[in-house]
Amino acid sequence: MKPTQTDVLSGRGVSTNNHKGNENFRNIIIDQLDTYAASTKSQKMAISKDVVHRLHNNFTPPGRFLKKDSETKQWVELTMKEATGKTAQAFAYAIRDRRKIKEENQK
């Protein structure tokens, strides 16, 4: 499987961070951050699922969440549960980062 510009790549480093699909993903996270932060746990899961669906349905080709298999070194698609979990994690990191910036600005 070969990643496209609409895919979200799991992993660390500049190459995944600067990937166009990852940039699209971060923009959606930022756009939904206030709503997510003010939501209940069940609403947060629904928002995370919606982000996964938006990436899949609103881009051509459809966006996928991919990770590199450690044995085969090939890209494989994450399950819906894994993609939703990664999305919820991205929201949590974004909220944490926003709090840190706010605290630093108050010093």
Side-chain angles (χ1 to χ4, degrees), residues 81-99:
K81 183 177 181 177
E82 291 171 320
T84 302
K86 291 284 186 184
T87 302
Q89 184 180 37
F91 274 117
Y93 287 154
I95 290 168
R96 180 200 63 194
D97 291 346
R98 186 168 68 176
R99 276 193 201 124

Side-chain angles (χ1 to χ4, degrees), residues 34-49:
D34 290 332
T35 303
Y36 185 90
S39 297
T40 65
K41 186 174 182 174
S42 63
Q43 290 169 329
K44 287 178 179 178
M45 205 42 61
I47 292 167
S48 295
K49 285 181 183 178

Side-chain angles (χ1 to χ4, degrees), residues 46-59:
I47 292 167
S48 295
K49 285 181 183 178
D50 182 61
V51 169
V52 175
H53 286 293
R54 284 174 61 185
L55 281 164
H56 185 75
N57 296 326
N58 295 352
F59 292 93

